[in-house]
Amino acid sequence: MLDRGDKAPDFTLPDQHGNPVSLADLRGKDVVLYFYPKADTPGCTAQACGVRDHRADYERAGAVVVGISPDSVKRIAEFDEKYGLSFPLLADEDHAVAEAYGVWAQKSMYGRKYMGVERTTFVIGPDGAIKDVLRKVKPAEHDSLVLGALAGS
């Protein structure tokens, strides 16, 4: 997994409207890149709605928030519309970006092992270097931890 000081791997993925979004296009700003396992599940909904509800705080911090999951464009579009999220959600259907960031990992539920996204947030500086990594963040604590990391940088 990537760590502080590493250069964030560039990528281009479709957003919930099918438009391509590249990390390189966001250079010059702090970027909060958060990976979530699956749209419209309880934890992922709490996390996304928290970002939505703290929009003004992220704007004051000068940060752009981008969520990435292995869901399809259709699924993240429905998720965005259902909760009025209105920030970029990206579809990483082949999980190549999750793999590049080291968050595609073996998970276990009810004794069954499977591969999936480990909930992780990367705070990326204007120069493209990773400023902070928040691993296995609880959705309810996500925004306070990220905003604290932004304030401390």
Side-chain angles (χ1 to χ4, degrees):
M1 184 181 288
L2 299 168
D3 211 344
R4 286 186 185 126
D6 291 341
K7 182 138 176 84
D10 196 18
F11 58 82
T12 301
L13 291 172
D15 69 7
Q16 65 265 48
H17 310 292
N19 300 318
V21 175
S22 296
L23 183 61
D25 293 341
L26 302 174
R27 291 275 194 284
K29 303 174 185 174
D30 280 321
V31 177
V32 175
L33 187 66
Y34 82 91
F35 288 86
Y36 63 100
K38 189 172 182 178
D40 209 9
T41 56
C44 296
T45 299
Q47 187 174 18
C49 289
V51 169
R52 177 200 64 203
D53 295 347
H54 286 89
R55 179 184 329 277
D57 298 322
Y58 287 107
E59 287 173 2
R60 272 193 295 280
V64 175
V65 181
V66 178
I68 298 180
S69 77
D71 294 305
S72 67
V73 170
K74 181 178 187 279
R75 185 167 174 93
I76 61 174
E78 290 167 354
F79 183 46
D80 175 48
E81 187 173 316
K82 182 175 181 180
Y83 295 100
L85 301 174
S86 300
F87 62 89
L89 298 173
L90 308 182
D92 183 24
E93 288 188 76
D94 65 0
H95 49 81
V97 176
E99 287 184 42
Y101 278 78
V103 299
W104 187 253
Q106 184 175 32
K107 300 171 83 174
S108 179
M109 187 184 311
Y110 305 118
R112 185 176 79 78
K113 292 184 190 290
Y114 62 98
M115 296 299 289
V117 169
E118 183 178 277
R119 190 182 308 278
T120 305
T121 299
F122 295 87
V123 178
I124 302 167
D127 61 353
I130 296 171
K131 294 165 67 171
D132 209 346
V133 181
L134 305 164
R135 294 181 171 96
K136 297 182 182 177
V137 176
K138 290 184 174 79
E141 299 170 358
H142 182 253
D143 297 297
S144 62
L145 291 171
V146 172
L147 289 163
L150 287 164
S153 55

